[in-house]
Amino acid sequence: MPLARRLTLGDAVAIGLGSMIGAGVFAVWAPAIGAAGSGLLIALAIAAVVAYGNATASAQLAAAHPVAGGTYAYARAEIGPWWGFVAGWSFVIGKIASCAAMAMTFAAYAAPAGWQVPVAAAAVAALAVVNCFGVTRTALLTRILVVCSLLGIAVAVGFGLGAAPTAAPGPLPDATAYGVLQGAGLLFFAFAGYARIATMGEEVVDPSKTIPRAIVLALGGAVVVYTLVCVAVVLVLGGDAIRSMAPLVDLLDAAGASAWAPVIRVAAAAASLGALLALLTGIGRTTLAMARESDVPRFLAKIDERHHVPQRAEIMIAVIVIAIVMFADLRGAIGFSSFGVLLYYFIANAAAFRQTGPARRYPRALQVIGALGCLVLVVTLPALASAIGAGVVLLGVGYRMLRLRLARV
């Protein structure tokens, strides 16, 4: 049974923004500043350029292959099943880590001390239930959450930039080339939300036109928001942000606007929930596509006849994310997520590079920039995150090799 086409351009842009804004603004500044130091803006620019190359590759592929599954489906069609599997597996494991990071970020802002873990787990469970009742409900809730988060960010940036001339920010660590690239790799985690749009190719109205436009619009909006927040954080907090778990709340404190802190906490919670909701939706669709090809158990390919969503995949993913929330930490989740996502987009660029004729919408140079950028950034990520990521990817490859061998017996 195919999925129903119900999402408009506005819905798709909202889902992309919900993924990116929640991920970046409220979770990534401390580790990124710790890595890039005074080169933070350069790191942000590098991440944005690599993300743009990847976004155009995703848009070009999505226009030619308007089906669920994102680069898993695109790479299978363009360069072969094994490439598609590695892309899909990398996406699923990276974005499951992102879900855990967003749930923990939500709880850090919204839960009282000592209750962060159960609140994070409850948030995952609640949003999985929303997803199980249909994609139009998902899109509507995402729109509401994105508006709330943007209003809160506007308050923080407004007060921060207003206080910048008289602020006394902490000194930033000196920038090194390696540190700037590592910072860009961590910041890339924040830009990766546009892939959620591409994974929903079976549910978007007129996908060959809507998906490319939505990806570029969502990414452009996120770049503007990140740049404003980055400038405000650097000018007001500087190196002090490295130790902050809630940098925009600390930004208001430093600007003498502590009374507005509850607004930021509500906005941060809304943004994190918006990102978590969109991420859960995207992973479910890629898992559905992989299950259809038996690259994960076919049990997960079932689509609910009433709500037209892959409920079994949604429930399984939610259970795994809750388990990670119980044991992982935020910084480790961000590094692991970046590893999976960068590998996924490297394959997306390789697949788009092979497209010819009417399917080609962007210069091949953009795919070269995107692919090389992914390779450079992935090797600068924290060693532990990269080692774990590589191990999990190899585990997935081993599973597929075993399945294919058993199928031939």
Side-chain angles (χ1 to χ4, degrees), residues 3-8 11-16 19 62 65-71 74 91 131 134-136 138-139 142 193-207 210-211 215 277-286 288 308-310 314 344:
L3 297 170
R5 296 195 183 278
R6 298 175 177 175
L7 298 180
T8 65
D11 293 330
V13 171
I15 288 171
S19 296
H65 306 283
V67 296
T71 298
Y74 311 153
F91 176 87
N131 274 339
V135 72
T136 52
T138 297
T142 301
Y194 51 79
R196 305 299 75 70
I197 302 167
T199 61
M200 304 178 77
E202 282 189 34
E203 296 163 280
V204 174
V205 177
D206 194 6
T210 299
I211 290 177
I215 287 173
L277 181 61
L279 287 166
L280 288 169
T281 305
I283 301 169
R285 274 54 181 178
T286 298
L288 168 67
H308 301 283
V309 295
E314 298 282 0
Y344 171 87

Side-chain angles (χ1 to χ4, degrees), residues 14 43 139 282 307 355:
H307 300 292
Q355 289 183 295

Side-chain angles (χ1 to χ4, degrees), residues 132-170:
C132 286
F133 281 98
V135 72
T136 52
R137 291 174 175 82
T138 297
L140 175 60
L141 181 55
T142 301
R143 281 176 180 264
I144 294 170
L145 295 174
V146 168
V147 170
C148 291
S149 61
L150 286 175
L151 289 174
I153 290 167
V155 170
V157 169
F159 278 111
L161 294 179
T166 58

Side-chain angles (χ1 to χ4, degrees), residues 75-248:
R76 283 182 65 89
E78 297 290 343
I79 53 180
W82 268 109
W83 286 93
F85 174 80
V86 174
W89 186 246
S90 298
F91 176 87
V92 169
I93 63 174
K95 288 304 150 187
I96 284 177
S98 292
C99 287
M102 288 304 94
M104 288 185 275
T105 300
F106 165 73
Y109 280 92
W115 285 85
Q116 284 86 354
V117 171
V119 168
V124 175
L127 293 185
V129 170
V130 171
N131 274 339
C132 286
F133 281 98
V135 72
T136 52
R137 291 174 175 82
T138 297
L140 175 60
L141 181 55
T142 301
R143 281 176 180 264
I144 294 170
L145 295 174
V146 168
V147 170
C148 291
S149 61
L150 286 175
L151 289 174
I153 290 167
V155 170
V157 169
F159 278 111
L161 294 179
T166 58
L172 290 167
D174 292 335
T176 64
Y178 182 85
V180 168
L181 290 174
Q182 185 177 105
L186 294 169
L187 285 165
F188 184 83
F189 159 83
F191 280 111
Y194 51 79
R196 305 299 75 70
I197 302 167
T199 61
M200 304 178 77
E202 282 189 34
E203 296 163 280
V204 174
V205 177
D206 194 6
S208 64
K209 294 181 180 179
T210 299
I211 290 177
R213 291 173 62 193
I215 287 173
V216 174
L217 287 172
L219 178 61
V223 169
V224 172
V225 172
Y226 291 168
T227 301
L228 291 173
V229 175
C230 181
V231 170
V233 169
V234 169
L235 292 179
V236 177
L237 295 179
D240 294 338
I242 296 174
R243 296 179 294 276
S244 175
M245 294 302 296
L248 296 193

